Amino acid sequence: MTVGRFAPSPSGRMHLGNVFTALMAWLSVRSQEGKMLLRIEDLDPDRSKAEYIDFLRRDLEWLGLDWDEEMPLQSTRNGIYQTYFDRLNTYPCYCSRSELHAASAPHASDGKWIYAGTCRNLTPEERAAKGRTPAWRIRVPEETVRFTDGVFGEYGENLATDCGDFILRRSDGVFAYQLAVVCDDALGGVTEVVRGCDLLSSTPRQLWLYRQLGFFAPRFFHVPLLVAADGKRLSKRERSLDMAHLRQRCRPEEILGELAFAAGITAKNEPVSARELVPLFSFDRLPRTNIHLTADFCDFL
Ligand code: GLU
């Protein structure tokens, strides 16, 4: 059976981009008569706010995007992450932010910083002399991890040259998203991950972690970014696109109708319920380019 998930972070109210991703994940699961899980990703205490947790549930319900089971909050699962962390080949990294920038090479294609390996081979004496609490990185091999994304097709990254040794645990003890997401999806029996294409480049690292931990990997579908009619990125800062505002201005069917039309799932822009979209859904209809909202909808908001 297909098992999918919603994995929102309670760092703010859901905005239209999150709604689009949630709709795609939900339609995929419901069109296969699978099981939908909700997992609230409150891993990062600096960014998560308790008040948003319940809003996430209520906004999904209001949209008609239901789930079959809610997984425990990530903030309660440190013991589990620790168990898997202990199985991995990690090392302590003492670099400060400025040291990282000074020593890391920016990656050619997207400006991402690659860790130079400064703390990779420190001796126990050198570690002891650092006198600060370290973050923990995993040692990655010189290996290209490839996979076939259900929307974007073939994708691969070389762990050493495109990613570098990445953080699994921050110096304040918080486990990294990359580790938590792999443990949670694997232990939850998730068979398909549908999420925004901003996470496409995390997937090779995650697939490699699946392998290191002996987990069975799900299929991945990265959905295109939703942008305004003029092509500008939607962001949480744009209040008119968050659910507090949208719920005052629109019915759920109007929002879903707009998203389904923008994504090419329906031929006409008219109000529609989530259920009505189930038989029309296919990933094949999604473009690989940004999805533009209509000008009428943007003007209306
Ligand atoms: N919590 C992440 C987000 O809200 C999603 C992570 C994932 O789907 O893997 O962007």
Side-chain angles (χ1 to χ4, degrees), residues 10 28 59 78 105 133 159 232 252-253:
S28 176
D59 288 340
N78 277 341
T133 315
L159 294 174
K232 289 212 182 95
E253 293 79 8

Side-chain angles (χ1 to χ4, degrees), residues 2-6 21-36 191-194 219 221 223 265 277-278 281-283 286:
T2 298
V3 180
R5 45 55 151 206
F6 300 124
T21 307
L23 175 66
M24 297 299 111
W26 185 88
L27 286 173
S28 176
V29 166
R30 294 298 178 226
S31 64
Q32 299 171 76
E33 293 175 13
K35 180 163 119 182
M36 192 69 191
T191 65
E192 70 168 40
V193 169
V194 179
R219 280 172 301 151
F221 298 83
V223 302
I265 296 169
L277 290 171
V278 173
F281 177 75
S282 156
F283 279 113
L286 283 185

Side-chain angles (χ1 to χ4, degrees), residues 5 7-9 18 39 41 177 181 185 193-195 198-199 206:
R5 45 55 151 206
S9 302
N18 306 128
R39 181 177 67 242
E41 301 209 318
Y177 156 73
V181 74
D185 282 336
V193 169
V194 179
R195 60 188 179 189
D198 52 328
L199 289 165
Q206 292 174 12

Side-chain angles (χ1 to χ4, degrees), residues 78-243:
N78 277 341
I80 294 172
Y81 305 139
Q82 183 73 50
T83 304
Y84 290 98
F85 174 89
D86 289 342
R87 296 186 190 171
L88 295 165
N89 184 2
T90 57
Y91 63 88
C93 170
Y94 300 86
C95 296
S96 65
R97 201 175 285 252
S98 53
E99 284 165 342
L100 286 176
H101 278 205
S104 306
H107 181 245
S109 64
D110 62 2
K112 196 169 71 177
W113 294 88
I114 314 281
Y115 183 59
T118 317
C119 294
R120 212 177 207 237
N121 299 311
L122 294 182
T123 62
E125 294 73 32
E126 285 169 325
R127 285 178 187 165
K130 291 285 181 182
R132 33 173 131 116
T133 315
W136 290 80
R137 290 182 184 272
I138 186 157
R139 248 173 246 279
V140 299
E142 174 73 55
E143 179 190 325
T144 300
V145 178
R146 292 194 177 81
F147 74 104
T148 306
D149 185 73
V151 178
F152 283 83
E154 298 300 312
Y155 186 81
E157 283 196 9
N158 182 289
L159 294 174
T161 55
D162 295 326
C163 313
D165 293 345
F166 55 97
I167 292 203
L168 286 193
R169 195 178 170 185
R170 299 192 325 208
S171 59
D172 61 4
V174 175
F175 287 99
Y177 156 73
Q178 306 291 358
L179 177 65
V181 74
V182 168
C183 294
D184 287 344
D185 282 336
L187 299 172
V190 168
T191 65
E192 70 168 40
V193 169
V194 179
R195 60 188 179 189
C197 65
D198 52 328
L199 289 165
L200 185 64
S201 75
S202 284
T203 307
R205 271 172 283 174
Q206 292 174 12
L207 282 168
W208 182 70
L209 284 178
Y210 273 96
R211 236 194 303 135
Q212 300 308 301
L213 292 169
F215 289 142
F216 181 78
R219 280 172 301 151
F220 287 89
F221 298 83
H222 289 88
V223 302
L225 199 68
L226 190 68
V227 295
D230 59 9
K232 289 212 182 95
R233 254 192 107 133
L234 317 176
S235 76
K236 282 186 189 176
R237 285 174 291 279
E238 246 177 281
R239 295 265 312 136
S240 65
L241 295 168
D242 86 15
M243 284 300 278

